[in-house]
Amino acid sequence: MAAEAPQQLSLVADIALQGNLFGAPEQSKTASRGGRPESLADPSNLADTGELDDAALEADASSRPRRRRQTMARAAGPDATAPAPEGEAPTGLAAPDLGPNDPATTDQDPPETPGPTNEAEPPSAAAPESDLPPWHHHSLVDPQQLPPMLRHYVELKAAHPERLLLYRLGDFFECFFEDAITLSQLLELTLTGKEAGKAHGRVPMAGIPHHAAERYCGDLVRRGLCVALCDQLEATAAKGALLKRDITRVLTPGTVIEEGMLSARRNNWLCGVVVEGSRWGLAVADVSTGEFRVTERQGSDLLHQELLQLDAAEVVWPGEGNRPGWCPESLRLTPSALTPFAAPEAKACLLKRFKLASLAGLGLADLPLGQRAAGGLLRYLDDTQPGAAIPLDLPTTWHAGDQLVLDAQTRRNLELTRTQLGGGVQGSLLWALDRTVTAMGGRCLRRWIEAPLVDRAAIGARQEGVSELVGQRPLRQALRRLLRPMGDLERLAGRAGAGSASARDLVALADGLERLPQLASLLNQASSPPLVALARPWPELAELAALVRHSLVDTPPLALTEGGLIHDGVDSRLDGLRNQLDDQDAWLAEQEASERRASGIATLRLQYHRTFGYFLSVSRAKAGAVPEHWIRRQTLANEERFVTPELKGREGRILQLKARAAQREFELFTELRDQVGAEATPIRAAARLVADLDALASLAEVAATGGYCRPEITAGRELLIEAGRHPVVEQLLVESPFTPNGIALGGGPAPIGRPDQDGSPPDLLVLTGPNASGKSCYLRQTGLLQLMAQMGSWIPARSAQLGLADRIFTRVGAGDDLASGQSTFMVEMAETANILHHASRRSLVLLDEIGRGTATFDGLSIAWAVAEHLAVEIQARSVFATHYHELNELAELHANVANVQVLVEETGDDLLFLHRVVAGGASRSYGIEAARLAGVPAAVVLRARQVLGRIEANSHVAVGLQP
């Protein structure tokens, strides 16, 4: 009877793996909710343990109540009488480690690979077909001539040809055929082989340990692969049959929820797209946080820009063939069947998922393509998460004009979340502003930067929150101290709802929920709307946190099936089992003392080994003096191990009690996890308010320590900034302070620039000055300050008055697109054309060096015409940086154009860049002097000056004519 206990414990371990990493397996005759086989749900199916039925255990717990402990009650059993050798457990009740490699959990096809190793060099990723091993693709074999296990693998692979299939065999997840070759190349593993019968011989095989599956799968997903996990659904197979296995989880870049596979401070967006003609619907979800949004618009260019802005991890669309033009090359595109994205199926899926009678209340009734995209996305989630319902919020809609429009070029040029050189965060606007102390606050701040507001009331509300925290330093510091240890409540709640949260996840969640009343207490005197929203007690979440604290120990183990999770006093049946285990512990201690007395061996120890069970250990020198009733079990270099009939008889009973206790703890834990998961929606609602608070506190910290001011947001078009500073560059400067500069565009009194005839600042500034003097920095500074003001932040300036912009356009720097056959000049012209087609009077346009990529006269003509079109036809607020000094003449022809320049001080052959922007146009660019400073040979510099003198003496450009 005792032999059954290892099987029971092993099965619990298998199910825990599925629930922890891969989600609950599909419901079947052998598995119930949470992955527990029905055969384990009733303790009567365990081996006979005397009179210890549930009633007896509860009576025992009542008669001998257990004292609640503040630390883990029983993670590794009671302390031993002496330290045990490495690899052994001390005397007591440490659970045996009987994992899937135990004979009870393997079938007729055990793995033959020793697991991952770096001993061999990885094969070339583009090896010619002649270098590939035989049977390098599953389609080359005849399934009927394969062993049963490999036949099942080929059948599953045929159903999932585009996914890398990991097949559970004992302690490993194995790949065969082409997947084995791919796995060995990507992870630098040794490619081994497996016998596939006489007809095929050995086929390629590679594998990873099941306990390290999350790490390896995370690496594969980050490389853009989809991974299908085929896990075991039962502990032992019927006689002559294979273990039952099936796909329990499909890991794709957009559907992962595991902490190790996600970036903590950015959303992991999954997109569903439906396109009909020029109109498109887009559904966006972050599976890890539950956010779910839908939109529908016109124009494939807008869809392309929207996907670039989201930087989606995965895009699902109902199509096949070549990549459509609306999908950026940098994103993973996953083709899908047409049926899930059809209108009837999509609507039915939405109604069923959210238990609704109509979609009208969600605002989706008027978005037919968006509705189809949302339904298809949900179906894709169901297909990749069999048996697990990922909690998502009710879908919300957003429309064009709900936020400041920033195209891909503008985001790249302004370096909002990553730098152009290297693509890192350091040196970006996000780096300069991010002082958040929680992961959810970091994601919130990133979203604010990527999608600034266009509603004055919403901007004002955020400004109020920042202002209150700037003015109350003790409150700001207290809030940040309280937030700093808080876990990621959004994602913790999502994992609980998906049935994959660990015990430590629930403890971290409880710790965060317990801090909500403390936050409310600190904010009870707050007056700004964002702070007032969090100043509430959240009693229902406090009760949930108390339940978790009451049930789980403070520091639970990683494994969910080895006990040590649940406090004493939570469950009477578990307490009864623990009382019985304490009795057995006492018996073992007495047995050790008795045998020590009987043998006269003072150094005798009673120990436990995972494979051999309980035994008596004595030194080799004392082995000849042991009593006759001892049975030799094992001989080692320095000790002998023995057992007694009484000890072996008691061992079976102990193991059964331990398996039963571990089973009961797992049941209690899954019930608790389900309770927490059912509250995912209110937990996430509170988490988003906490994220807002953290983001506001971050902006307040930067504003308070950096000398920022609160900008005034007006209903006009003015852009008036006094002594503005670049928020990133000033933090990077160490040896010298940043030189502030003002700007005036669009209306109001002008600090710099030539006012037009109405006394208002111009619409267009023509900016001239030497190379490397700071013109590009000035352009980016202007764009960043406008953006910061519209995200509700304070800005680095002495004072500021800004009207709302509908879009920000930038064209700064040079770059080509050789992959699509476009030169630097063609890219420049394409971006300029986009600006001229879409800019409006409320747009902010920042252009640098338009027309420099072609002949001088052609370039000057293009620059003149573009600047004039912006000032006269569009009348957008614009800054036009150029080395074509002839453009200074535009200020004489148009009243809403003014000239400004970056000052430089010339002393002999030296140039001193002052980085000050003042009124007036420059007459020289000092390009030859800049070349000399860059190290161009003196002879070349001298010849350049000679050529320049001749050109200036003989050339004249006449542009002072109105069209």
Side-chain angles (χ1 to χ4, degrees), residues 135-435:
W135 314 115
H136 58 271
H137 197 276
H138 75 277
S139 62
L140 300 176
V141 299
D142 181 3
Q144 300 307 316
Q145 296 183 6
L146 292 173
M149 185 277 294
L150 282 176
R151 187 185 314 137
H152 185 223
Y153 181 92
V154 170
E155 292 171 354
L156 291 174
K157 182 62 183 176
H160 300 270
E162 74 285 358
R163 293 164 179 162
L164 191 144
L165 177 60
L166 292 175
Y167 193 89
R168 178 72 177 271
L169 287 176
D171 282 340
F172 288 86
F173 279 105
E174 304 286 3
C175 287
F176 303 96
F177 307 107
E178 70 272 25
D179 285 351
I181 298 172
T182 301
L183 190 72
S184 65
Q185 291 174 348
L186 294 180
L187 301 184
E188 301 185 9
L189 310 179
T190 299
L191 183 65
T192 61
K194 183 173 180 63
E195 288 296 332
K198 294 181 179 179
H200 304 99
R202 294 180 69 82
V203 299
M205 179 177 75
I208 59 175
H210 78 89
H211 60 78
E214 180 174 339
R215 176 165 59 91
Y216 286 108
C217 288
D219 192 4
L220 294 171
V221 169
R222 280 189 290 273
R223 293 170 184 263
L225 274 71
C226 291
V227 181
L229 295 161
C230 178
D231 211 342
Q232 297 170 177
L233 300 182
E234 58 184 359
T236 56
K239 187 175 181 179
L242 289 175
L243 282 172
K244 187 175 294 185
R245 298 180 177 91
D246 204 351
I247 303 293
T248 58
R249 177 77 186 275
V250 177
L251 297 170
T252 72
T255 61
V256 294
I257 58 175
E258 287 72 30
E259 182 179 9
M261 300 185 190
L262 295 167
S263 174
R265 290 181 168 266
R266 61 179 302 168
N267 285 96
N268 194 64
W269 296 117
L270 171 68
C271 297
V273 177
V274 173
V275 179
E276 283 192 355
S278 62
R279 195 159 185 82
W280 49 268
L282 173 65
V284 178
D286 185 337
V287 180
S288 65
T289 64
E291 297 162 87
F292 192 17
R293 298 184 292 151
V294 181
T295 189
E296 182 174 325
R297 298 184 203 171
Q298 189 92 10
S300 59
D301 288 344
L302 289 179
L303 176 57
H304 184 90
Q305 294 290 342
E306 196 71 41
L307 293 174
L308 279 175
Q309 173 189 334
L310 291 167
D311 194 15
E314 186 177 6
V315 179
V316 184
W317 74 298
E320 56 185 12
N322 297 329
R323 176 184 290 265
W326 50 259
C327 185
E329 291 290 336
S330 59
L331 303 186
R332 176 182 174 83
L333 183 65
T334 302
S336 173
L338 297 175
T339 302
F341 288 86
E345 286 76 5
K347 181 177 180 180
C349 187
L350 285 164
L351 294 175
K352 179 180 178 182
R353 179 61 177 262
F354 297 108
K355 299 179 175 59
L356 299 173
S358 170
L359 299 178
L362 301 178
L364 299 181
D366 297 330
L367 304 177
L369 297 184
Q371 187 180 128
R372 290 170 55 189
L377 185 148
L378 290 179
R379 177 64 180 274
Y380 181 73
L381 275 181
D382 293 339
D383 291 342
T384 57
Q385 313 273 347
I390 301 295
L392 290 178
D393 299 338
L394 286 170
T396 58
T397 60
W398 90 99
H399 304 278
D402 288 350
Q403 62 192 37
L404 177 64
V405 179
L406 304 167
D407 59 27
Q409 292 75 26
T410 299
R411 295 173 187 279
R412 183 179 64 249
N413 292 331
L414 295 183
E415 299 181 312
L416 299 184
T417 58
R418 65 182 67 170
T419 60
Q420 293 190 67
L421 183 61
V425 174
Q426 184 172 1
S428 66
L429 179 63
L430 177 63
W431 169 80
L433 299 182
D434 192 356
R435 302 293 185 272

Side-chain angles (χ1 to χ4, degrees), residues 27 124 560 734 769 930:
Q27 301 296 323
S124 171
L560 301 180
V734 176

Side-chain angles (χ1 to χ4, degrees), residues 754 762 764-767 860-872 880 882 884-899 959-963:
R754 186 181 70 83
L764 172 68
L765 289 179
V766 176
L767 174 63
L860 172 58
S861 303
I862 293 172
W864 182 285
V866 169
E868 198 168 49
H869 189 80
L870 286 170
V872 177
F880 196 105
T882 184
Y884 294 130
H885 303 120
E886 292 81 2
L887 266 62
N888 288 328
E889 194 169 343
L890 283 170
E892 303 300 326
L893 301 176
H894 303 287
N896 65 337
V897 179
N899 298 323
V959 292
L961 299 175
Q962 297 203 44

Side-chain angles (χ1 to χ4, degrees), residues 1 36 65 179 211 223 309 392 402 501 573 588 596 653 701 765 806 832 881 920 928 934:
M1 303 294 282
R36 177 162 301 283
D179 285 351
H211 60 78
R223 293 170 184 263
Q309 173 189 334
L392 290 178
D402 288 350
R573 195 187 313 171
L588 288 171
R596 187 178 291 126
R653 182 180 180 85
E701 185 73 15
L765 289 179
D806 59 354
T832 303
I928 296 177

Side-chain angles (χ1 to χ4, degrees), residues 842-865:
R842 300 199 69 90
S843 299
L844 176 61
V845 181
L846 308 169
L847 299 177
D848 184 25
E849 306 296 348
I850 295 297
R852 65 181 173 181
T854 186
T856 302
F857 289 171
D858 287 354
L860 172 58
S861 303
I862 293 172
W864 182 285

